[in-house]
Amino acid sequence: MDNYALFTKSISLKNLGIENATIQYQLTPEKLHDLTVQYGQGIEVSTESLAVNTGEFTGRSPKDRFIVKDNITKNKVWWGNVNIPFEPEAFEALYNKVTAHLSHKEIFVRDAYVCSDPNYRLNIRVITETPWANLFCYNMFLRPEMKELENFTPEWTLLCVPSFTAVPEVDGTRQSNFAILDFTKKIVLIGGTGYTGEMKKGIFSALNFILPVFKNTLPMHCSANVGKEGDTAIFFGLSGTGKTTLSADPARKLIGDDEHGWTNENTVFNFEGGCYAKVINLSEENEPDIFKAIKKGSILENVVIKSGTNEVDFEDVTITENTRVSYPIYHIENIQPGSIGKNPKNIFFLTADAYGILPPISMLSPGQAAYYFISGYTAKVAGTEAGITEPQPNFSTCFGAPFMPLHPTKYAEMLSKKMKDANVKVWLINTGWTGGPYGVGSRMKLKFTRAMITAALNGELNEVSYENHKVFGIAIPQSCPNVPSEILNPRNTWEDPNLYDKKAVELAQMFKSNFTKFEEFANAEIMEGAPLV
């Protein structure tokens, strides 16, 4: 018996249509690491982490994500250019091709689960072509105890097959790659792309339907941590806004860095068992927790190795700006046991405003909170999606539109109710530009953003004076411990304050024109949260 073997149970995949495959079941992270190197699919770098290249795709491909339109989804999903319908017959035919493609091959199978709260747990079986994709799933999903594997019954199945490419005119896809969710068959089917984020976000998308529809629980694209007094903080934000970085706080315990549920019992639980962090320009000084997590068991994606060494050059973006690392959450020292928090007290909406207009911190009224949640404004930062190399304004409703199958107002209504019931404070944090727009100003210093968040968490902004922004109407604190007062009002940081005023009005108009599609669903309180011009 292989001395790496974690478990000797043998499984069959005939029920999935996969015949005579060589099944590598539940291999340890060490074995998956070694096989990746042995197969020439990755290298071990100086920190003993694995480094792999995901191939043609170094980011998600949102235009190639489909949901099967069936009796479960047809009247509930918000169909459109985010949730693109796929016919059940076309799915069946494509699925059969993929399973035939996997038959007679070596494949890697892992039983795992998502949702750390036992009341919401969902068992999944993951089938991958490569050992490193399986290691990614070991890192990112929750890991069953050995005794739980004896009678493990998967509810959902995730298949990731990069070497299978679709023929669009035959298979009904847009191009050769695809990620398709079928809620009747409970399958996530991914082909033609090796980008591991598609697996993570495929399961996230499924939970974003299952939890609100069947479990009355709000799914959130956010990070979360817990303070010494047991108070939970929630950080909403799209990729590149600082969710992972800002929730890794030495003074607070991490619940998770990306995907959570907020229950009727007023608890917040992590969906995942690991973190998937951006590593562009990573340094130990700025992000010590992430830096230290890059050790044996972690996987670096699409990084460049310094010539003649096995050291990573985190500043080199030759392959992509969306360089990443995945690691199990226990690589972070300061984690919340069980990945569940209670008593949410502060919510932070993170935005990377490429225009340099929004204040670095402001307090939102309940109406403004709902308005900014539905708007989900940030700049698309280079690298998180295929084809984006310059930042551009991006309204992604609920700070996670690509993963939200229901109408945005469903999630917004749930959040509004929870915010009021739990009496939480809501803050808008701009981690983007100050002193002018992208190309003129500079990115807000991380140490100042951290200081602002710490002050909000510690209640130090409760007693300071506030002034409402002339265009956006949001409340700007006039002072904040350990932050220069002059940067708190962005107008003061621009060389030409009149130009700032003009650009602020332009951004406000963008907010308003984006919101027109939600106006018929929004109540008076939400509409009062809109910009003033």
Side-chain angles (χ1 to χ4, degrees), residues 54-67:
T54 61
E56 179 189 353
F57 292 93
T58 57
R60 285 179 300 98
S61 192
K63 291 177 181 155
D64 300 295
R65 171 187 167 280
F66 305 91
I67 296 175

Side-chain angles (χ1 to χ4, degrees), residues 275-295:
C275 303
Y276 191 42
K278 289 170 78 77
V279 295
I280 182 173
N281 299 325
L282 182 71
S283 70
E284 187 166 15
E285 181 192 3
N286 276 347
E287 299 178 80
D289 286 341
I290 297 169
F291 193 87
K292 287 178 195 148
I294 302 176
K295 55 189 179 185

Side-chain angles (χ1 to χ4, degrees), residues 206-250:
L207 289 169
N208 288 337
F209 183 87
I210 294 163
L211 289 173
V213 171
F214 302 115
K215 307 268 191 177
N216 199 20
T217 287
L218 173 68
M220 304 179 289
H221 187 214
C222 69
S223 58
N225 62 26
V226 183
K228 291 185 174 68
E229 306 300 314
D231 60 299
T232 295
I234 296 169
F235 300 79
F236 282 97
L238 289 159
S239 185
T241 56
K243 270 197 325 300
T244 300
T245 302
L246 293 168
S247 57
D249 180 337

Side-chain angles (χ1 to χ4, degrees), residues 384-437:
T384 54
E385 279 178 27
I388 305 288
T389 53
E390 290 281 310
Q392 45 184 257
N394 178 33
F395 292 95
S396 183
T397 185
C398 311
F399 294 98
F403 327 116
M404 301 293 171
L406 305 180
H407 193 282
T409 52
K410 288 267 189 244
Y411 304 105
E413 283 162 14
M414 289 179 87
L415 182 70
S416 281
K417 183 176 185 315
K418 286 182 180 297
M419 288 189 311
K420 286 175 182 165
D421 290 351
N423 192 26
V424 298
K425 279 199 166 72
V426 184
W427 309 87
L428 181 66
I429 302 283
N430 177 15
T431 64
W433 279 257
T434 179

Side-chain angles (χ1 to χ4, degrees), residues 293-333:
I294 302 176
K295 55 189 179 185
K296 189 72 172 262
S298 64
I299 314 171
L300 289 155
E301 293 180 5
N302 303 314
V303 294
V304 175
I305 308 302
K306 292 175 186 172
S307 181
T309 74
N310 65 345
E311 283 179 31
V312 178
D313 184 348
F314 290 112
E315 290 173 15
D316 192 323
V317 293
T318 310
I319 299 172
T320 177
E321 299 207 2
N322 190 33
T323 50
R324 294 267 179 175
V325 64
S326 71
Y327 49 85
I329 199 164
Y330 58 74
H331 277 202
I332 299 271
E333 285 173 19

Side-chain angles (χ1 to χ4, degrees), residues 114-167:
V114 286
C115 300
S116 59
D117 186 325
N119 297 324
Y120 300 90
R121 171 173 169 157
L122 184 79
N123 284 350
I124 54 175
R125 174 162 285 172
V126 179
I127 298 164
T128 66
E129 271 190 305
T130 62
W132 54 268
N134 207 268
L135 178 56
F136 175 85
C137 295
Y138 171 87
N139 287 347
M140 294 309 302
F141 300 137
L142 288 152
R143 298 160 282 277
E145 298 289 330
M146 198 123 46
K147 60 178 183 293
E148 295 178 282
L149 293 171
E150 302 264 356
N151 301 306
F152 189 93
T153 308
E155 194 174 335
W156 273 71
T157 305
L158 167 65
L159 298 100
C160 180
V161 192
S163 74
F164 179 91
T165 49
V167 181

